[in-house]
Amino acid sequence: MKIGIVGLGLIGGSLALDLRALGLEVLGVSRQEKTCQIAEEKAIVHQASVNLSLLEQAEVVFICTPIEAIAPTLTQLISHLHPAAIVTDVGSVKAPIVKQCSQLWANFLGGHPMAGNANQGIEAATNNLFTGAPYVLTPQANTPPAAVAKVREIVAAIGSRVYFSTPEEHDRAVAWISHLPLIVSASLIDACMSEENSATLLLAQHLASSGFRDTSRVGGGNSELGLMIARYNRPELLRSLTQYRQSLDKLIHHIDQQNWQEVQETLDSTQQARSSFFR
Ligand code: NAP
């Protein structure tokens, strides 16, 4: 089977590596010549080009560009696609993408691998990024069942745990566990950097260890991706941020009033609840 990948960055390149490892023929298209050259030299793909015409024979195409380029990429891709080709994407937000793309190509299925790291670009491509990670597929009532079955088979073969949801449910759920943490983590770093005493800030920077590494990780990642998430999942992100502010205000109030019993109860409850997110 020939697989096409558009956008050879962290996700597209990593997907290419895993699909190649399965013995599939992988054709890659990216914006820059240099990226295509690296992708071929490092054997991330069998063949790479800046021209979408490379994907004429592809049976399944994964669009792995930044969020704002997904629908425009599909628009440009259409004249090159085989009529039976299946197109899917990996964008971190689903409702606006699925709405646009399913109107452009009937055989389109939205998808989102819940895997990544702070790096970006072709040099960040890595093997087994998706192994054991959730991968959400967001079919609609009119999505062809054969397209759903094929994409499900491929993403399960690279070791992902496949989930199904509507695009809207996806966007609400990932706002809680991915998009809210990103903004919270970014604001954590921002708050620390507001320390006015430079000696204190320097000491804090020297003392930062595993706790700060964990809590600041997603706020210190790909800023282009963070911006796109805020722009494209704005309503759900604002909904979760508003609730987060209420939770924070409640804790600030209890600490200010020295309501240690309430602080203890909240921390006991969050300690218990955390494990339910990692089943
Ligand atoms: P990335 O590392 O920046 O890779 C995106 C690549 O797309 C860039 O390296 C760029 O390659 C290429 N590109 C940009 N515009 C293009 C265009 N118009 N046509 C063709 N190629 C283009 O970003 P990423 O982290 O892989 O994210 C890609 C997608 O995956 C996004 O939609 C994001 O929402 C989704 N996603 C990301 C994560 C994550 O944690 N990073 C997780 C799940 C899903 P050139 O070098 O050729 O310019």
Side-chain angles (χ1 to χ4, degrees), residues 86-99:
I86 295 165
V87 180
T88 184
D89 78 304
V90 297
S92 306
V93 179
K94 292 276 57 87
I97 292 174
V98 171
K99 189 167 179 241

Side-chain angles (χ1 to χ4, degrees), residues 7 9-11 30-32 35 64-67 90 92 113 115-116 120-121 225:
L10 169 67
I11 300 296
S30 213
R31 189 175 45 174
Q32 301 186 68
T35 301
C64 305
T65 65
I67 293 171
V90 297
S92 306
Q120 67 185 115
L225 177 60

